[in-house]
Amino acid sequence: MRCGRILVAAVAATLALPTAVAAAASPVQTFVTFDPAAGEFPEGVAFDKTGNLYVSLLPASQIRRITPDGTQSVVADFGTAGGAGPAGLAVAPNGTIYAAEPAIDLQTAQTNPDKRGVYRVGRDGTPVRLPGTGAIVFPNDLRLDKHGTVYVTDSAGGSVWRIPKGGSAQLWADGPLLAGTGAAGAGFPIGANGIAVLREEVIVANTDLGALVRIPIRRDGSAGTPSVLVSSPLLVGVDGLALDVHGGIYAVVGTQNLVLRIDRDGSITTLATAAEGLNQPSTAAFGTGRAGNKTLYIANFSLFSPAPTPGVLTLEVGVPGRPLP
């Protein structure tokens, strides 16, 4: 996920890309469209267990709930958070929404330390910042584990933070594999970005490095030594991640207009491109309930496109997504 100039120049130069494995993917369909004139650009997507989709919109600075039949409602307004709006989203089993809010100014790409952080959104729609999360320089994406612990990426700080249920944020993992290189020309590095959490490991997308990084979770909950799971020019500009039940990783590469599947042997399959309507996509999530758990829902961000087409697209992948915790 990314904001401001983060998208502008991550892959401006022509890359000598390896040939991706051809895939017979189902056609990409449009689930919902948004109004660019109203500042409705979808950055984060997440599902609850009953099939409702939650979308963060910026610079409208809203979180909307979209039912399986497409009915929309505003569930939270982040206008008081001092930025363009929240990025990554996650929904707890009880329906509580968690949002990564960088509180970024889209013109200067600066974040507001008084407002940035991870927010919990209650049923009344009020966002409440979690303790200690103001120290996260650029909170970008986040996931929950089965214990209610929140893991959140810091794209500018090149790190992953951990927030125990009911506790304060703690720096959990950092190092060169999570740091960015500054190649995007945004004024700060874009390292750790999309994130996925399993029982024994955390997988992090590094945007600048074009790599997926594996971080073991030790028995005491501390982070093991990060290592590269896969690296490829196809992954330069990688953003959000989703997982299927077989361990397949679905990576959204916004600057190259790609949705890729990465298998555990490192092979990469291209599932969708700009030819199917991708326009600076930011992330994706598997549907639940009536939404269909073999359907990937893709946020078509397109904020910096000369011809924006903001919306949520769907792609049938034929494999169920990993169940929510």
Side-chain angles (χ1 to χ4, degrees):
M1 299 182 179
R2 62 264 182 258
C3 299
R5 300 191 191 112
I6 295 176
L7 282 175
V8 175
V11 188
T14 301
L15 294 171
L17 297 176
T19 301
V21 180
S26 300
V28 173
Q29 303 292 323
T30 299
F31 174 61
V32 65
T33 60
F34 295 115
D35 182 3
E40 297 176 353
F41 295 89
E43 221 287 350
V45 291
F47 274 91
D48 65 18
K49 286 182 174 291
T50 62
N52 294 309
L53 173 64
Y54 295 81
V55 182
S56 60
L57 296 174
L58 53 87
S61 200
Q62 295 177 349
I63 297 176
R64 289 191 192 171
R65 177 171 52 236
I66 306 175
T67 62
D69 65 4
T71 302
Q72 298 186 34
S73 59
V74 177
V75 297
D77 187 337
F78 275 70
T80 60
L89 300 176
V91 184
N94 65 359
T96 299
I97 304 166
Y98 292 85
E101 168 60 273
I104 191 169
D105 184 317
L106 291 178
Q107 299 302 315
T108 66
Q110 298 299 309
T111 64
N112 183 343
D114 294 327
K115 300 292 186 179
R116 70 194 184 204
V118 174
Y119 285 75
R120 181 180 63 246
V121 180
R123 294 192 179 276
D124 65 353
T126 303
V128 177
R129 188 166 67 162
L130 299 184
T133 60
I136 305 172
V137 180
F138 194 107
N140 201 332
D141 200 8
L142 75 173
R143 291 292 184 273
L144 299 167
D145 69 11
K146 65 179 181 179
H147 304 294
T149 300
V150 181
Y151 292 84
V152 56
T153 56
D154 183 347
S155 294
S159 59
V160 176
W161 289 65
R162 183 177 183 269
I163 311 167
K165 188 175 183 178
S168 296
Q170 308 159 353
L171 178 62
W172 186 68
D174 58 6
L177 293 183
L178 299 176
T181 63
F188 54 85
I190 312 161
N193 196 334
I195 187 170
V197 176
L198 296 93
R199 185 171 64 88
E200 296 179 344
E201 63 184 1
V202 171
I203 299 170
V204 178
N206 187 312
T207 299
D208 280 348
L209 296 184
L212 302 184
V213 178
R214 175 184 179 270
I215 309 172
I217 302 174
R218 295 177 175 143
R219 290 187 177 182
D220 64 358
S222 63
T225 302
S227 61
V228 174
L229 185 64
V230 62
S231 177
S232 169
L234 284 168
L235 287 166
V236 174
V238 63
D239 202 328
L241 302 176
L243 303 175
D244 69 28
V245 294
H246 301 307
I249 304 169
Y250 297 76
V252 177
V253 187
T255 55
Q256 300 193 59
N257 291 318
L258 296 172
V259 174
L260 308 173
R261 185 180 68 238
I262 297 95
D263 294 320
R264 283 296 176 145
D265 62 2
S267 61
I268 299 176
T269 303
T270 298
L271 300 181
T273 69
E276 285 78 50
L278 296 182
N279 190 352
Q280 298 176 348
S282 55
T283 193
F286 275 96
T288 61
R290 288 169 52 201
N293 67 353
K294 294 182 181 180
T295 304
L296 200 62
Y297 288 72
I298 305 159
N300 219 28
F301 189 46
S302 77
L303 176 61
F304 301 100
S305 170
T309 54
V312 177
L313 310 178
T314 61
L315 175 64
E316 299 293 328
V317 298
V319 180
R322 184 178 178 84
L324 297 175

